[in-house]
Amino acid sequence: MSSLKHILITGGAGFIGSHLVRHFVTKYPQYQIINLDALTYAGNLESLADVDGRDNYTFIKGDIRDENLVRAVFAEHHITHVIHAAAESHVDRSILDPLSFVKTNVLGTVNLLQVAKARWQEDYSDHVFYQISTDEVFGALGDTGHFTEQTAYDPRSPYSASKASADHFVRAWCHTYGFPALVSNCSNNYGPYQFPEKLIPLMIRNIIAEKPLPVYGQGQNVRDWLYVLDHVTAIDVVFHKGKVGETYNIGGNHELRNLDLVHMLCDQMDNALGRTSGTSRNLITFVKDRAGHDFRYAIDASKIHREFGWSPSTSFAQGLQKTITWYLENQSWVDHVISGEYQTYYQAQYATR
Ligand code: NAD
Ligand code: TYD
């Protein structure tokens, strides 16, 4: 790969995207990083205040579905590479409003593919389109087993169906047009700057406010947790070393039942807030289960370890402590992102459970 890279990162104002942008802007001053983000409820430029104004960084507010805009961005910024992270990303919202997931995750991805193909078709040798995907496309596991790169897609929520569809289009571009694409499928991320609709930041916020902690069903569902900065280093490795046409699984190798995770959060938060032990556990409220709730996700990340030596460097205990500390110290970030639309969503999602 040449060192002259003009990298379009989509969704760079979101949770994972903001860490990705910060990592690439600061680690690779020789690359130009162009962040295209529509700034939906989930996108927030406050998450990137520290890189704003850097010479190698440009932010563009815009929608990945807007063909003219995307074409202009490719032309004006001489885009050579894409890391595509923009998406509607929350399963519960996908159950309430599936069509917006089809529009952004499927149509938005195909639009990017179309424009990239048109722009790069003279020569694909120094271009890469990297699709950031999820382990949820593989469906749900029982008590045993892991998702490998060979596991057949079996999405079961509107969110995962839209991501699976997008991944299929990316691979179709590879097979049909010889398009230079990579895909990685990652397990549940957590860490600073995650929108407080997802399990960990939602629980942290409610514990601080001493509000009920809504655990779906009996809290027995299992997720495999990865600290967000470990995902970013994995993306860096796959971006630089991955073979086009290939797919890579990324995971934390740290499975937890939701209830066990919420208990850990309660205990660490009681400690951090100087509350009597057990205070926050009393806030746990079992609520109506998520429709079609996938039981268990678990990633086999041996390929990326074997081929590139990547493995997570942050233990779950360290990552959770860092995350709690960050949310306690950055409550104004939370207050800003949850104003407006989020209140309406919270009512719709939790008021009737
Ligand atoms: P997020 O919801 O925090 O951020 C998504 C970003 O995309 C936001 O900044 C939003 O403004 C932007 N966006 C949404 N629609 C857009 C559109 N039409 N045009 C331009 N920008 C738009 O999501 P996240 O958790 O950071 O996830 C990022 C990517 O990683 C997604 O593709 C997701 O499927 C994938 N992923 C997430 C996880 C996880 O645990 N969060 C795990 C594996 C994979
Ligand atoms: P979430 O963070 O939404 O991620 P995903 O559904 O993509 O895995 O949810 C993680 C787990 O936590 C999932 O099994 C659903 C559960 N959950 C709750 O029990 N209560 C909640 O309020 C939320 C948001 C999630």
Side-chain angles (χ1 to χ4, degrees):
M1 261 193 211
S2 116
S3 63
L4 188 70
K5 293 184 176 48
H6 291 228
I7 307 172
L8 176 66
I9 298 184
T10 68
F15 166 48
I16 296 170
S18 62
H19 289 283
L20 204 52
V21 165
R22 180 177 301 100
H23 175 88
F24 272 79
V25 166
T26 53
K27 185 170 174 196
Y28 301 108
Q30 73 276 28
Y31 297 170
Q32 285 297 321
I33 305 300
I34 297 90
N35 172 9
L36 173 64
D37 194 298
L39 299 182
T40 69
Y41 79 91
N44 196 306
L45 288 179
E46 265 185 73
S47 309
L48 283 170
D50 53 331
V51 295
D52 195 29
R54 295 278 188 123
D55 287 346
N56 65 334
Y57 173 63
T58 306
F59 173 73
I60 298 164
K61 181 177 185 310
D63 197 310
I64 56 167
R65 293 169 297 173
D66 182 339
E67 189 181 338
N68 289 335
L69 171 91
V70 173
R71 221 188 281 127
V73 169
F74 267 74
E76 279 165 32
H77 295 276
H78 310 286
I79 300 300
T80 56
H81 297 71
V82 177
I83 305 179
H84 176 32
E88 288 292 341
S89 69
H90 188 36
V91 173
D92 292 321
R93 285 183 188 257
S94 81
I95 295 167
L96 295 172
D97 175 19
L99 199 54
S100 61
F101 284 67
V102 176
K103 288 178 180 165
T104 284
N105 299 358
V106 186
L107 296 179
T109 302
V110 174
N111 189 43
L112 289 169
L113 290 168
Q114 287 274 50
V115 172
K117 174 175 159 289
R119 182 85 200 159
W120 297 343
Q121 69 183 355
E122 297 302 311
D123 177 11
Y124 285 151
S125 59
D126 226 359
H127 299 297
V128 168
F129 185 106
Y130 182 176
Q131 162 80 350
I132 305 301
S133 192
T134 165
D135 60 355
E136 304 192 23
V137 296
F138 296 120
L141 294 163
D143 286 321
T144 57
H146 290 80
F147 301 129
T148 73
E149 287 82 359
Q150 279 71 46
T151 305
Y153 276 26
D154 182 21
R156 296 146 54 97
S157 74
Y159 164 64
S160 56
S162 68
K163 291 293 291 185
S165 174
D167 295 1
H168 285 320
F169 274 103
V170 171
R171 295 199 176 98
W173 252 241
C174 288
H175 291 294
T176 310
Y177 308 115
F179 187 76
L182 291 164
V183 179
S184 61
N185 298 87
C186 187
S187 63
N188 284 62
N189 286 214
Y190 69 99
Y193 298 110
Q194 186 168 31
F195 195 84
E197 64 187 354
K198 304 278 171 67
L199 179 71
I200 290 180
L202 184 141
M203 293 296 167
I204 292 176
R205 176 166 175 266
N206 285 13
I207 290 170
I208 293 170
E210 296 183 78
K211 283 173 60 177
L213 308 180
V215 173
Y216 298 165
Q218 295 304 306
Q220 298 304 300
N221 301 60
V222 174
R223 297 293 182 264
D224 171 8
W225 294 96
L226 179 68
Y227 191 59
V228 62
L229 291 177
D230 281 325
H231 188 188
V232 166
T233 61
I235 291 172
D236 183 334
V237 165
V238 171
F239 177 77
H240 287 99
K241 298 186 174 168
K243 293 188 211 73
V244 295
E246 292 272 318
T247 182
Y248 299 88
N249 277 358
I250 302 167
N253 199 19
H254 197 91
E255 291 180 46
L256 277 173
R257 285 187 307 181
N258 292 339
L259 188 58
D260 294 335
L261 171 50
V262 174
H263 282 156
M264 285 174 77
L265 272 172
C266 288
D267 297 348
Q268 291 197 28
M269 293 284 295
D270 281 348
N271 194 31
L273 292 165
R275 291 181 184 161
T276 314
S277 167
T279 306
S280 299
R281 285 192 186 212
N282 287 331
L283 297 169
I284 292 173
T285 311
F286 293 98
V287 300
K288 185 163 162 251
D289 208 353
R290 173 185 282 172
H293 198 172
D294 285 343
F295 175 62
R296 174 172 165 260
Y297 304 139
I299 276 277
D300 174 346
S302 54
K303 176 178 174 181
I304 184 174
H305 180 64
R306 194 175 53 248
E307 294 195 5
F308 308 134
W310 178 89
S311 54
S313 65
T314 310
S315 72
F316 188 75
Q318 286 170 333
L320 200 62
Q321 195 52 56
K322 283 185 187 180
T323 305
I324 289 171
T325 304
W326 187 87
Y327 278 94
L328 287 172
E329 288 174 354
N330 289 277
Q331 289 184 53
S332 64
W333 180 90
V334 177
D335 292 341
H336 292 171
V337 301
I338 63 172
S339 59
E341 188 270 355
Y342 180 69
Q343 305 299 338
T344 316
Y345 163 76
Y346 200 89
Q347 271 295 108
Q349 177 63 18
Y350 294 101
T352 56
R353 280 181 180 264

